[in-house]
Amino acid sequence: MSYFILSRKGSAGFLRRLTRLAAAAGAGACLLLIGLLALLMPGVALEASLKGLSVWWEVLFPALFPFFVLSEVLLGFGIVHLAATLLDPLMRPLFRIPGAGGFVLALSFGAGYPIGARLTSQLMEQKLLSRGEGERLVAMTTTSDPIFLIGAVSLGFFGRLDIVPVLATAHYGGAMLLGLLLRWRKDGPDAEHARAAASIAVKRAAVSSPGSGMDFVGMGRIKRALKAMHDARIADGRPFGIVLNQAVKSSLALMIVVGGLVVCFSATLQLLLHSGLLLPFKHAIALLLQAFGFEPGLANAYVQGTFEVTLGNASAAAGTGQGGIPAALIDRVAAAAFVLSWAGLSVHAQVAGLMGRTGWRYGPFLRARLLHAGLSVALVYLLWPWLYAA
């Protein structure tokens, strides 16, 4: 019996190593292919890189940088401990996540991706979240910011303000539904994370312990929340000037990483499109859309949205159907909702870079993004007759 168990463990370990080797070989082959395409089409690579740089500088930098700095300052002043104590009675029953996740949820919905991943990774490093809780939280909080959804997508690409209610409800409502569904997921920590569970529980107990039943709401919990914030501020010990200085430095470094990934994926997408290598993928998406009764002419929006959010939404707004006429508005809005919730491989790479030191796994995140995208599309078609009956 023991031999059978050991042999199974050995086989599982061999399969994991083989999978990692295959993934590394596949990634290396893809990088080599992109490099060769860049050498063959330097003009396309340069133009796409400049376009990605323009998107980063004109849209992402002013939208994200203030929130990155603000989140660092708030963490330094113990606001997360305040939120953890106050929001624990709400976050645990709904999402099976500690109250500190409420702080991440609020900032991520306001600032957009990848602020949720940045805050989640910091809370995991501070032992305020376990790996399973962090994976579920970052899946739920990888959302677009309202400025991009309203200003860039609704007004900029579609030229219509009346689609904001359905698009916002589908996107953010889909994220909340995703969080509710993920609360039932079994995290299944491995041995290393099981050993760390005790220290995480002790760390969190000092932040968001429920106390007596009288403290569930009211002044008792508020007093404990303020005390937790004060204790965290004392434990940090840095003056405000140093906190702000370090927040600006780390936020600038992160924005450079975000910009590099946006430029990289923008160039990659254009090289693949111009080379024709994505044509089989585009035809497959068109056939899949047609099979489910959707507009196959929007396949290009889904293909571009697979890589980058901005280009995908622009393609969704300009999507055409049979005969070159514009596709139905509901189909184009559904495609935009899918792209916003899927978030593009560019955002996936940003999240992976931010979460890499926490033991986070990409597989559950990938499945959550697909589920969020599907929920958003379903909500668009469900809400459209109610919001646009007239």
Side-chain angles (χ1 to χ4, degrees):
M1 185 67 181
S2 60
Y3 172 77
F4 176 72
I5 295 175
L6 289 174
S7 63
R8 288 194 65 182
K9 289 183 178 179
S11 300
F14 174 74
L15 288 176
R16 282 196 297 269
R17 290 193 296 271
L18 186 63
T19 302
R20 291 173 183 172
L21 180 62
C30 290
L31 290 175
L32 180 61
L33 174 63
I34 297 303
L36 290 175
L37 290 177
L39 291 175
L40 293 173
M41 295 180 286
V44 173
L46 177 61
E47 183 180 355
S49 298
L50 291 174
K51 186 175 182 179
L53 185 63
S54 175
V55 169
W56 172 74
W57 179 250
E58 296 177 4
V59 178
L60 296 180
F61 192 94
L64 291 180
F65 182 71
F67 282 96
F68 283 155
V69 175
L70 178 64
S71 64
E72 287 282 348
V73 173
L74 291 178
L75 285 171
F77 274 83
I79 298 297
V80 66
H81 294 72
L82 174 75
T85 307
L86 290 177
L87 298 177
D88 203 65
L90 177 66
M91 295 296 294
R92 283 190 185 276
L94 289 178
F95 307 114
R96 199 160 57 88
I97 291 173
F103 172 77
V104 180
L105 184 65
L107 270 186
S108 64
F109 275 26
Y113 20 66
I115 191 70
R118 177 173 176 80
L119 293 174
T120 301
S121 65
Q122 290 175 320
L123 294 184
M124 292 176 71
E125 291 170 0
Q126 294 176 14
K127 305 300 182 183
L128 296 176
L129 293 174
S130 67
R131 184 182 72 174
E133 291 165 346
E135 288 177 348
R136 286 185 278 112
L137 181 61
V138 77
M140 181 176 62
T141 57
T142 301
T143 58
S144 170
D145 62 279
I147 296 176
F148 180 75
L149 187 147
I150 298 173
V153 179
S154 301
L155 288 176
F157 297 146
F158 282 88
R160 302 181 63 121
L161 192 61
D162 57 341
I163 67 170
V164 171
V166 69
L167 190 58
T169 304
H171 182 58
Y172 297 112
M176 300 298 285
L177 287 176
L178 176 67
L180 291 173
L181 292 174
L182 290 179
R183 83 174 304 280
W184 305 107
R185 194 195 81 176
K186 293 182 178 180
D187 298 328
D190 55 26
E192 177 184 352
H193 292 278
R195 286 193 297 268
S199 62
I200 292 175
V202 171
K203 179 79 173 179
R204 285 201 309 228
V207 177
S208 58
S209 57
S212 64
M214 296 177 62
D215 283 348
F216 190 79
V217 291
M219 293 303 298
R221 181 167 290 273
I222 294 176
K223 288 180 180 178
R224 286 193 298 107
L226 293 173
K227 184 179 185 302
M229 182 182 70
H230 176 70
D231 292 342
R233 178 73 190 106
I234 296 300
D236 185 275
R238 293 175 297 169
F240 175 75
I242 295 179
V243 171
L244 182 61
N245 184 44
Q246 292 178 350
V248 171
K249 287 182 178 179
S250 62
S251 299
L252 278 174
L254 179 58
M255 285 305 308
I256 292 174
V257 174
V258 171
L261 288 170
V262 170
V263 171
C264 176
F265 275 88
S266 177
T268 298
L269 174 60
Q270 292 303 319
L271 288 170
L272 291 175
L273 287 174
H274 280 77
S275 66
L277 293 175
L278 288 181
L279 283 178
F281 181 45
K282 179 181 176 181
H283 293 323
I285 294 294
L287 290 174
L288 189 63
L289 291 173
Q290 190 172 17
F292 283 95
F294 300 118
E295 175 55 61
L298 290 171
N300 192 50
Y302 288 95
V303 170
Q304 296 199 35
T306 299
F307 290 86
E308 214 281 316
V309 176
T310 306
L311 297 177
N313 276 285
S315 181
T320 57
Q322 300 294 331
I325 61 175
L329 181 60
I330 184 175
D331 292 329
R332 288 184 284 143
V333 171
F338 182 95
V339 172
L340 282 172
S341 300
W342 163 251
L345 292 177
S346 175
V347 172
H348 290 214
Q350 296 170 33
V351 172
L354 292 167
M355 299 291 293
R357 295 184 299 177
T358 64
W360 168 86
R361 298 168 297 178
Y362 177 67
F365 179 79
L366 175 64
R367 293 191 292 270
R369 297 269 48 80
L370 288 171
L371 180 57
H372 185 192
L375 288 171
S376 298
V377 172
L379 285 173
V380 167
Y381 285 104
L382 181 65
L383 295 172
W384 193 271
W386 296 89
L387 296 177
Y388 299 98

